[in-house]
Amino acid sequence: MQPAGPPADIPTPPWRASKKRPTARQPLSAEAVLDTALRIVDRDGLDGISMRRVAQELGTGAASLYAYFANKDELLEQLLDRVIGDIPLPSAEAADWIAEVKESCWESRAVFVAHRDLVKVARANLPVGPNSLRYTEAMLAVLRGAGIPDRVAAWGMDQLSLVIVADAIEVSIHISRGQQTEADAAPWLAEVSGYYANLPQDRFPNLVAMAPVMIEGSGDERFAFAIDLMVDGLARYVGSDGPNSGQVAA
Amino acid sequence: MQPAGPPADIPTPPWRASKKRPTARQPLSAEAVLDTALRIVDRDGLDGISMRRVAQELGTGAASLYAYFANKDELLEQLLDRVIGDIPLPSAEAADWIAEVKESCWESRAVFVAHRDLVKVARANLPVGPNSLRYTEAMLAVLRGAGIPDRVAAWGMDQLSLVIVADAIEVSIHISRGQQTEADAAPWLAEVSGYYANLPQDRFPNLVAMAPVMIEGSGDERFAFAIDLMVDGLARYVGSDGPNSGQVAA
DNA sequence: ACCTGAACACCGTTCAAGT
DNA sequence: ACCTGAACACCGTTCAAGT
């Protein structure tokens, strides 16, 4: 009697293989859903992700996802927190706390940029996800350890993440515009600069004069400028007793 | 013989009036489309706007809008520029340029917040719309007039608008969450603070200790902190020769 | 008890067919 | 030449009906 299926050494016929999903069917779980969602975001960006598409790649229907996530927003929020888990934690033991904070800003930006425009879902300022909490704790340890007043530490962290997220979004927009490298972006920037240069001189004297400067500087240089501005500003609060009481040295 | 329509002093029957659109049908134009779109955004927010809905309120089909706008994104971009036209231009003749710049930041925020979450569509940093150009020109005049180097002026404006937009988005999120006033937001904030306070003390010593501070400060206080940090930071570049060459006084 | 197919109420955009 | 109804290819979310 023949066995029901073909022996193991005979290749599965292609029309049979094509019906199988590439990965063995794992039982559905929040973890598995996030894995799949992240794969889609990395491949197609935020516009490419939908509840239906995630479900399809898991071999089920969109409705099944609602057992694990209240809605699409919650799924994306948890996905972002997962990615935040890839950011190395800054150390409060670092010799130079200013360098440590700046370094962490660069690392955060790198992690966000590595996942297309997922960072666009970053919204509210108060961290809630487990990885966001861990990161916040570590950064607060550095800032408080440096002698920055609590209120300045809290508000300053807020501003720092705001700048990082905004910058990462901008980079991700350039990337999805097909401008992976600085060189790719050059033609578009030159066009904008030319547009400024040809504005009516009498009504736009400053824009005309600054046409070349407006597009100057790589993304990295601009990010460095912003981070330095912020962190150096925060450093001036060391040992003071807060943002509104003790006047910061002028 | 009776005239075809009723005399002017007899009210139009309700079933006839109800068939009329509330406003007289104006021929379609980019202007008219933007008027309608802004009305919808102000009423229902960004989630409430769609090409179909805008068209419907204009008494036509969605396809007709594509004669004036390449797509929805372009429509929203022009809509934002229109709103930016409501921001008063800062004056380069002001006695205290620092106060003038800060004042303009507050005015910008107010205009954005007045239109729900429309500000969410603000993206790229280089201004292109006519009103964005006018505003940029005026702000550059102030910064250059104050003696800030061109490159710092360009990058600084960038950062300033980034902070304003991010803050306005946050305020708009609070508002759409039904927290119009600071008092409305209080219960939610207290909940988050309580969550921080109950985190495991050994792994989150700083968050636990700072639980009350994390939610401290009104939106206005936090915005003031951010703007002061930025503008005061920029002021330190007055008379220097740029961000990366002449070292800023420490 | 858990899962899901099918339905509901929408989308942005295109284009053939009308005036 | 201009405009638009209808179609295309999607959405997020719900829920009745199945196992």
Side-chain angles (χ1 to χ4, degrees):
Chain A
M1 211 186 188
Q2 292 280 0
D9 55 354
I10 294 181
T12 318
W15 62 87
R16 193 88 81 78
S18 75
K19 292 224 168 173
K20 266 192 192 163
R21 270 172 302 281
T23 57
R25 170 66 174 277
Q26 46 193 327
L28 214 52
S29 68
E31 187 74 18
V33 172
L34 289 177
D35 282 347
T36 303
L38 187 57
R39 182 156 31 88
I40 295 173
V41 166
D42 285 348
R43 195 209 311 131
D44 304 322
L46 219 44
D47 283 344
I49 202 171
S50 71
M51 297 302 265
R52 295 170 122 98
R53 192 118 54 169
V54 173
Q56 187 195 319
E57 298 213 1
L58 284 163
T60 182
S64 304
L65 305 184
Y66 289 83
Y68 303 94
F69 304 93
N71 50 44
K72 189 188 180 186
D73 279 351
E74 195 188 286
L75 194 160
L76 290 176
E77 201 180 302
Q78 290 194 31
L79 193 57
L80 182 68
D81 189 74
R82 217 188 104 139
V83 162
I84 288 174
D86 291 340
I87 306 174
L89 298 179
S91 161
E93 269 77 46
D96 181 351
W97 74 267
I98 294 184
E100 183 74 5
V101 170
K102 289 182 182 178
E103 173 69 14
S104 185
C105 291
W106 285 92
E107 287 170 341
S108 300
R109 185 172 89 135
V111 167
F112 288 137
V113 168
H115 297 279
R116 300 283 210 117
D117 52 352
L118 174 62
V119 64
K120 276 183 190 160
V121 312
R123 282 280 123 94
N125 52 340
L126 289 170
V128 283
N131 288 319
S132 310
L133 283 177
R134 256 190 292 274
Y135 183 83
T136 301
E137 171 65 24
M139 185 59 91
L140 287 178
V142 175
L143 296 176
R144 295 179 92 206
I148 292 182
D150 283 1
R151 196 186 267 238
V152 177
W155 296 359
M157 259 215 67
D158 235 50
Q159 283 305 309
L160 236 32
S161 34
L162 183 153
V163 168
I164 293 164
V165 164
D167 186 89
I169 289 176
E170 210 198 294
V171 174
S172 79
I173 289 174
H174 278 208
I175 288 176
S176 60
R177 226 192 243 131
Q179 303 166 341
Q180 263 83 4
T181 70
E182 304 279 349
D184 294 334
W188 179 75
L189 287 174
E191 197 182 1
V192 175
S193 180
Y195 175 61
Y196 291 157
N198 288 319
L199 250 23
Q201 164 88 46
D202 54 331
R203 288 166 54 217
F204 298 95
N206 291 286
L207 264 172
V208 171
M210 287 181 59
V213 181
M214 289 297 284
I215 61 158
E216 244 170 49
S218 67
D220 282 5
E221 281 175 303
R222 284 169 178 259
F223 185 65
F225 172 76
I227 292 301
D228 288 356
L229 197 62
M230 297 286 314
V231 179
D232 294 345
L234 290 178
R236 298 174 58 74
Y237 283 101
V238 169
S240 87
D241 54 350
N244 292 327
S245 40
Q247 194 69 326
V248 174
Chain B
M1 210 184 188
Q2 292 279 0
D9 54 354
I10 294 180
T12 318
W15 61 88
R16 192 90 82 79
S18 75
K19 292 223 168 173
K20 266 191 191 163
R21 270 173 302 282
T23 57
R25 170 67 175 276
Q26 45 192 326
L28 215 51
S29 68
E31 188 73 18
V33 172
L34 290 177
D35 281 347
T36 303
L38 187 57
R39 182 154 32 87
I40 295 173
V41 166
D42 286 348
R43 195 208 312 130
D44 304 323
L46 219 44
D47 283 344
I49 202 170
S50 70
M51 298 301 265
R52 295 170 121 96
R53 192 117 56 167
V54 173
Q56 188 196 316
E57 297 213 2
L58 283 163
T60 181
S64 304
L65 305 184
Y66 289 83
Y68 303 94
F69 304 93
N71 50 45
K72 190 188 179 187
D73 278 351
E74 194 188 286
L75 194 161
L76 290 177
E77 201 180 301
Q78 290 194 31
L79 192 57
L80 182 68
D81 188 74
R82 218 188 104 138
V83 162
I84 287 173
D86 291 339
I87 306 173
L89 298 179
S91 161
E93 269 77 46
D96 181 351
W97 74 267
I98 294 184
E100 183 74 5
V101 169
K102 289 182 183 177
E103 173 68 13
S104 185
C105 291
W106 285 92
E107 287 170 340
S108 300
R109 185 172 89 135
V111 167
F112 287 138
V113 168
H115 297 280
R116 300 284 209 116
D117 52 352
L118 175 61
V119 65
K120 277 183 190 160
V121 311
R123 280 282 124 93
N125 52 341
L126 289 170
V128 283
N131 288 320
S132 310
L133 283 177
R134 255 191 292 274
Y135 183 82
T136 302
E137 171 65 24
M139 186 59 92
L140 288 177
V142 176
L143 296 176
R144 295 180 93 206
I148 292 181
D150 283 0
R151 196 186 267 239
V152 177
W155 296 0
M157 260 215 68
D158 235 50
Q159 283 306 308
L160 235 32
S161 34
L162 183 153
V163 168
I164 294 163
V165 164
D167 187 89
I169 289 176
E170 210 197 294
V171 174
S172 79
I173 288 174
H174 279 207
I175 289 175
S176 59
R177 226 193 243 130
Q179 302 166 342
Q180 263 83 3
T181 69
E182 304 280 349
D184 294 334
W188 180 75
L189 288 174
E191 197 181 1
V192 176
S193 180
Y195 175 62
Y196 292 157
N198 288 319
L199 251 23
Q201 165 87 45
D202 53 333
R203 289 165 54 217
F204 297 96
N206 291 287
L207 264 172
V208 171
M210 287 182 60
V213 182
M214 289 297 285
I215 61 158
E216 244 171 48
S218 66
D220 283 5
E221 280 175 304
R222 283 168 178 259
F223 185 66
F225 172 76
I227 292 302
D228 288 356
L229 196 62
M230 297 286 313
V231 179
D232 294 345
L234 291 177
R236 298 174 57 74
Y237 283 101
V238 168
S240 87
D241 53 351
N244 291 326
S245 41
Q247 194 70 326
V248 173

